[in-house]
């Protein structure tokens, strides 16, 4: 049995025990708060990257390799004017095209990637000829562009084939990377495997459009 010393009260021992027991509880609350805050910050950063993948037809962000960029520029050699990269990701295709003289534009749904692309265009000194916009590709008309680049996925190529066939002008050229269009016949291709790039002149999508109308 514990003794009570002179000048002490019985409640003092109780308060001391309660104070000692509150430390683990306070640390637990602090750790929970830190974890919760970290998850909120992580979600705010990751959400723009994850959300496009939940859409019906999406362009997941997979950076173009240096070889793919070289192949795209090879297919576009000798051409000039306006260029659009559909689903421009971190902007490397648009920036590379601007460096060789194109008036290049990128459309990207992920705002973080758009801001990142704008910064790198400015850093590369081509921000006057490389523009980036936050937009859903299905809500954009590409009729004003004479050069179109697309790093697509198989499940969206058929729908995109119809969209571009209806919108593009006769002088336009389309470059598909990684996956070809299902019905268009490419005029030529460059590269192998995942670095393959297919070029399509207007004869391809105009002919397909006429066949669809019949």
């Amino acid at each position: 049995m514990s003794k009570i010393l002179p000048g002490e009260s019985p409640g003092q021992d109780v308060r001391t025990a309660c104070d000692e027991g509150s430390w683990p509880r306070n640390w637990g609350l602090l750790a929970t708060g830190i974890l919760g805050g970290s998850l909120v910050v992580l979600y705010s950063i990751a959400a723009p990257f994850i959300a496009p993948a939940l859409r019906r037809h999406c362009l997941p962000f997979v950076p173009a390799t240096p070889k793919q960029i070289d192949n795209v520029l090879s297919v576009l050699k000798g051409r000039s004017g306006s260029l659009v990269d559909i689903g421009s990701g971190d902007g490397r295709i648009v920036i590379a095209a601007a460096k060789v003289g194109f008036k290049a534009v990128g459309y990207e749904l992920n705002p973080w990637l758009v801001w990142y692309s704008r910064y790198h265009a400015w850093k590369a000194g081509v921000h006057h000829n490389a523009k980036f916009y936050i937009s859903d590709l299905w809500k954009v008309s590409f009729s004003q562009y004479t050069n179109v680049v697309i790093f697509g996925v198989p499940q969206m190529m058929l729908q995109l084939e119809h969209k571009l066939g209806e919108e593009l002008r006769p002088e336009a050229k389309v470059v598909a990377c990684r996956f070809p269009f299902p019905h268009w016949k490419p005029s030529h291709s460059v590269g192998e495997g995942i670095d393959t790039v297919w070029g399509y002149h207007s004869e391809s999508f105009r002919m397909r459009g006429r066949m669809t109308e019949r």
Side-chain angles (χ1 to χ4, degrees):
M1 182 175 179
S2 61
K3 296 182 179 180
I4 301 175
L5 298 176
E8 292 184 348
S9 64
Q12 195 169 5
D13 289 339
V14 176
R15 287 195 299 272
T16 302
C18 290
D19 291 342
E20 291 176 351
S22 66
W23 276 104
R25 192 161 58 249
N26 290 339
W27 276 109
L29 292 173
L30 179 61
T32 302
I34 293 174
L35 178 60
S38 300
L39 290 175
V40 170
V41 172
L42 180 62
Y43 176 79
S44 66
I45 295 174
F49 292 87
I50 297 173
L54 302 178
R55 300 172 67 87
R56 182 178 178 184
H57 295 294
C58 64
L59 287 175
F61 173 51
V62 181
T65 66
K67 187 61 177 177
Q68 288 170 343
I69 296 174
D70 289 342
N71 290 344
V72 169
L73 296 180
S74 175
V75 171
L76 293 173
K77 188 175 182 180
R79 294 183 62 84
S80 59
S82 61
L83 178 144
V84 61
D85 184 11
I86 302 176
S88 54
D90 62 1
R92 59 187 66 190
I93 290 289
V94 172
I95 292 172
K99 286 180 178 180
V100 297
F102 287 98
K103 295 285 187 180
V105 171
Y107 288 98
E108 171 59 50
L109 193 61
N110 188 317
W112 293 93
L113 291 175
V114 170
W115 297 331
Y116 180 87
S117 301
R118 290 170 178 170
Y119 167 73
H120 275 270
W122 171 81
K123 187 177 179 181
V126 294
H127 56 286
H128 294 296
N129 291 328
K131 304 297 182 182
F132 299 92
Y133 301 100
I134 303 170
S135 185
D136 186 336
L137 70 91
W138 304 110
K139 298 178 181 179
V140 177
S141 172
F142 300 107
S143 58
Q144 61 181 306
Y145 301 103
T146 55
N147 301 280
V148 179
V149 180
I150 173 69
F151 278 73
V153 291
Q155 58 266 35
M156 68 175 290
M157 297 304 282
L158 178 59
Q159 187 175 348
L160 189 59
E161 185 179 82
H162 291 309
K163 177 177 173 61
L164 295 179
E166 293 175 354
E167 295 178 355
L168 296 182
R169 294 180 288 183
E171 64 269 26
K173 183 171 186 176
V174 181
V175 180
C177 310
R178 295 198 182 108
F179 299 100
F181 287 97
H183 298 119
W184 292 356
K185 183 178 180 181
S187 56
H188 56 295
S189 63
V190 177
E192 298 178 350
I194 63 170
D195 293 327
T196 304
V197 169
W198 295 267
Y200 302 86
H201 288 296
S202 61
E203 290 81 3
S204 297
F205 47 85
R206 293 298 172 184
M207 181 180 299
R208 179 62 189 173
R210 289 194 295 269
M211 291 175 62
T212 303
E213 292 173 359
R214 293 178 182 177

